[in-house]
Amino acid sequence: MNKMIYWVSVGNHEIFPQGEGNNHEFEIEANEQELDQLRELFDEADQIDSDLLVKRVSTPFEIFTPVGQEVKTLPYDRRLIEIYRTIYNLGLPKTKEHINGMNIL
């Protein structure tokens, strides 16, 4: 499969072919299968985030301790790290350098 350059925005969960879009943080080189994997990770993160929001709305006066908050967001945090790891693996040198500087992997 041929690989192409794509621009990725983690904050917006968006992937654009190079030259399209104007709001990206990273550049990756990926084939269709690798893009599908990254899109699936974004979809899973969105679902986890939605589930957390529904739980939070249903208990608006729940007091969160720092530890309690970390436990509740742990599934989302793990998915986000998996997203960054995938972007790192597919990333161009500048992308890898940026993610290394973030110290999240």
Side-chain angles (χ1 to χ4, degrees):
M1 296 183 111
N2 292 339
K3 291 190 173 197
M4 294 176 50
I5 305 290
Y6 295 91
W7 291 345
V8 179
S9 170
V10 174
N12 295 325
H13 293 184
E14 295 176 332
I15 306 168
F16 295 104
Q18 184 180 30
E20 294 181 21
N22 59 4
N23 188 17
H24 68 281
E25 297 119 15
F26 303 106
E27 287 185 294
I28 63 170
E29 186 174 24
N31 60 37
E32 276 301 317
Q33 183 179 3
E34 292 164 331
L35 283 179
D36 288 343
Q37 178 188 6
L38 184 55
R39 286 183 186 117
E40 186 175 314
L41 290 171
F42 280 147
D43 290 346
E44 290 171 2
D46 287 340
Q47 184 60 51
I48 291 168
D49 192 37
S50 293
D51 292 348
L52 287 171
L53 179 63
V54 168
K55 287 177 185 173
R56 181 66 180 141
V57 168
S58 66
T59 55
F61 301 107
E62 181 179 0
I63 298 173
F64 285 113
T65 63
V67 172
Q69 182 65 22
E70 287 179 20
V71 169
K72 288 183 182 282
T73 62
L74 190 58
Y76 182 82
D77 295 344
R78 286 182 177 157
R79 189 65 69 229
L80 193 57
I81 289 170
E82 195 171 340
I83 287 168
Y84 278 107
R85 184 173 290 115
T86 301
I87 292 170
Y88 179 88
N89 290 336
L90 300 172
L92 299 180
K94 189 173 179 180
T95 293
K96 290 182 179 190
E97 181 182 330
H98 183 94
I99 293 174
N100 277 333
M102 295 170 69
N103 292 319
I104 57 171
L105 299 182

